[in-house]
């Protein structure tokens, strides 16, 4: 079969002929049809990310859509010929306090994920992918959605985990800080689909904010963040109807905590702040301010297994329309062009490689 292989961070990245993986107990072989690209894949390949890279050549690639080719012993609910979605987030299924976890095709998470990372290294940029059954989700009832479009669920599942962690409820108001990014824009769409009365998309890219507002209608208000805390707090409170119930912070690579703090200070009393972005500096929190306002500050990494069932139900019911995504597709041999396109993504964009 064909597979893209990265020899080492910053090393050669080439399309090669390789042997199909050996079927193991608990594993599922998926004939890949489409896989989305992360905006920073080029930087990742060049070794510029502070991630845990494997110590051997491997295939990158995280989410995707495909058809089950074979299942190993101990797999009970998946079968050959079944259309599925694969996702990279794997956690040890053992009754321990802190199970090891990794992102297949991307990174280990901590020192204790080394053995897991060695077992499940190769991702989705290959014709047949080998994934643990816990990361393979049946795509039943979604036959009308083509493979490339369905692969954009990888854009939604990460922010859905954060919105679920923040207990977003129908009728609430939510501020999405970092709304013009790859995952932040999906969080805006999801908050509307989940029944938020008012969604405030906050970011610095005015064109991307306008695109969200135009696509999603009157329940979405936009605030262009200026970096001036008092002005930003005033604008966010006004746009959220006097203050938000939930702030979802998905800002990427921020070198200042001002936007996150301004968003937090736009919460109503008793509101919740979910931190799920990639802040590059400390966030100074005022103990007394948080206590007196009864605010909750919640960190969140990825999503629980049940989140995919929620996501697919939103799509099947029509509450979440994947058609709002501006999709660009590339063939397996055009990966260099696809990586360049992914690096330019903003707002509602998605880049998908078909295999």
């Amino acid at each position: 079969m064909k597979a893209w292989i990265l020899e080492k961070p910053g090393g050669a990245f080439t399309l090669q002929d390789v042997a199909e993986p050996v079927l193991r107990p608990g594993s599922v072989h998926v004939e890949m049809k489409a896989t989305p690209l992360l905006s920073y894949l080029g930087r990742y390949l060049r070794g510029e990310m502070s991630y845990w890279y494997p110590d051997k050549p491997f295939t990158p690639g995280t989410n995707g859509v495909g058809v089950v080719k074979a299942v190993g012993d101990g797999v009970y609910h998946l079968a050959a010929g079944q259309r599925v979605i694969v996702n990279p987030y794997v956690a040890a299924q053992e009754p321990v306090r802190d199970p090891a976890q990794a992102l297949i095709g991307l990174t280990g998470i901590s020192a204790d994920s080394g053995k897991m990372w060695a077992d499940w290294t190769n991702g989705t940029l290959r014709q047949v992918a080998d994934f643990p059954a816990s990361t393979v989700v049946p795509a039943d009832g979604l036959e009308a959605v083509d493979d490339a479009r369905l692969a954009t669920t990888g854009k939604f599942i990460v922010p859905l985990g954060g919105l679920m962690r923040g207990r977003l409820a129908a009728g609430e108001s939510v501020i999405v800080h970092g709304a013009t990014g790859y995952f932040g824009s999906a969080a805006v769409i999801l908050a509307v689909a989940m029944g938020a009365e008012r969604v405030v998309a906050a970011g610095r890219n005015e064109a991307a904010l306008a695109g969200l507002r135009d696509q999603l209608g009157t329940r979405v208000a936009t605030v262009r963040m200026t970096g001036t805390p008092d002005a930003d707090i005033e604008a966010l409170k006004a746009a959220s109807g006097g203050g938000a119930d939930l702030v979802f912070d998905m800002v990427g690579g921020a070198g200042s905590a001002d936007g996150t703090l301004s968003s937090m200070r736009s919460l109503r009393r008793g509101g919740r702040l979910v931190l799920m972005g990639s802040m590059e500096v400390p966030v100074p929190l005022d103990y007394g301010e948080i206590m007196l306002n009864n605010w909750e500050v919640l960190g969140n990494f990825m999503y629980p297994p049940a989140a995919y069932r929620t996501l697919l139900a939103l799509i099947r019911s029509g509450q979440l329309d994947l058609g709002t995504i501006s999709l660009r597709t590339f063939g397996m041999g055009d990966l260099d062009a696809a990586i360049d396109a992914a690096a330019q993504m903003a707002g509602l964009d998605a880049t998908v490689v078909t295999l």
Side-chain angles (χ1 to χ4, degrees):
M1 69 172 189
K2 297 286 188 182
W4 281 93
I5 303 293
L6 180 65
E7 295 297 324
K8 62 180 181 179
F13 184 50
T14 55
L15 185 61
Q16 301 181 15
D17 290 306
V18 300
E20 288 197 12
V22 175
L23 190 64
R24 299 175 284 172
S27 75
V28 180
H29 285 185
V30 179
E31 184 179 350
M32 297 304 304
K33 301 298 184 183
T35 182
L37 299 188
L38 295 167
S39 61
Y40 56 80
L41 179 58
R43 294 176 56 212
Y44 174 84
L45 297 174
R46 292 190 296 271
E48 297 172 1
M49 309 293 293
S50 56
Y51 283 4
W52 295 55
Y53 290 85
D55 58 2
K56 59 185 177 182
F58 76 108
T59 296
T62 51
N63 303 74
V65 173
V67 175
V68 174
K69 185 173 184 179
V71 299
D73 292 340
V75 178
Y76 306 110
H77 300 286
L78 297 165
Q82 191 171 15
R83 190 183 190 215
V84 293
I85 297 170
V86 298
N87 80 94
Y89 182 41
V90 58
Q93 302 297 301
E94 298 169 38
V96 296
R97 183 179 295 276
D98 297 307
Q101 52 187 343
L103 295 176
I104 299 169
L106 190 65
T107 184
I109 304 304
S110 57
D112 67 354
S113 64
K115 188 174 186 297
M116 171 180 284
W117 186 213
D119 285 344
W120 303 104
T121 302
N122 290 314
T124 53
L125 285 168
R126 50 175 42 211
Q127 289 178 320
V128 178
D130 179 31
F131 271 66
S134 64
T135 66
V136 181
V137 183
D140 301 336
L142 295 167
E143 293 77 13
V145 184
D146 67 49
D147 293 329
R149 183 69 59 181
L150 190 59
T152 65
T153 50
K155 182 179 176 75
F156 290 94
I157 189 61
V158 173
L160 178 60
L163 293 174
M164 292 173 68
R165 170 82 163 143
R167 307 188 305 278
L168 176 61
E172 289 191 321
S173 60
V174 56
I175 294 169
V176 177
H177 180 229
T180 59
Y182 182 75
F183 291 123
S185 59
V188 175
I189 301 170
L190 279 167
V192 172
M194 295 168 72
E197 178 185 22
R198 191 185 301 252
V199 182
V200 179
R204 294 183 178 273
N205 186 325
E206 181 59 46
L209 290 172
L212 287 168
R213 187 171 58 241
D214 294 344
Q215 280 276 3
L216 300 174
T218 58
R219 283 165 59 199
V220 173
T222 59
V223 171
R224 183 181 178 278
M225 302 292 283
T226 66
T228 303
D230 288 346
D232 288 340
I233 293 168
E234 182 179 356
L236 290 168
K237 282 188 172 182
S240 59
D245 300 291
L246 174 67
V247 167
F248 179 73
D249 189 274
M250 199 74 193
V251 66
S256 168
D258 286 347
T260 297
L261 293 173
S262 294
S263 299
M264 181 186 73
R265 289 172 176 140
S266 304
L267 284 168
R268 299 179 187 273
R269 188 173 296 135
R272 294 97 63 199
L273 166 66
V274 175
L275 299 176
M276 206 175 179
S278 51
M279 183 72 63
E280 296 181 349
V281 296
V283 180
L285 299 177
D286 186 304
Y287 187 108
E289 183 181 25
I290 292 171
M291 179 190 67
L292 292 172
N293 283 287
N294 291 98
W295 288 335
E296 292 181 64
V297 179
L298 304 165
N300 187 70
F301 180 71
M302 301 306 284
Y303 40 84
Y308 255 106
R309 292 200 302 272
T310 298
L311 179 61
L312 299 188
L314 288 170
I315 298 168
R316 284 192 297 264
S317 68
Q319 291 166 268
L320 176 59
D321 180 10
L322 297 181
T324 58
I325 299 301
S326 177
L327 178 64
R328 292 190 67 185
T329 60
F330 295 82
M332 190 177 188
D334 295 327
L335 191 56
D336 287 343
I339 292 170
D340 290 342
Q344 302 301 316
M345 292 188 300
L348 299 174
D349 295 339
T351 303
V352 172
V353 171
T354 57
L355 295 94

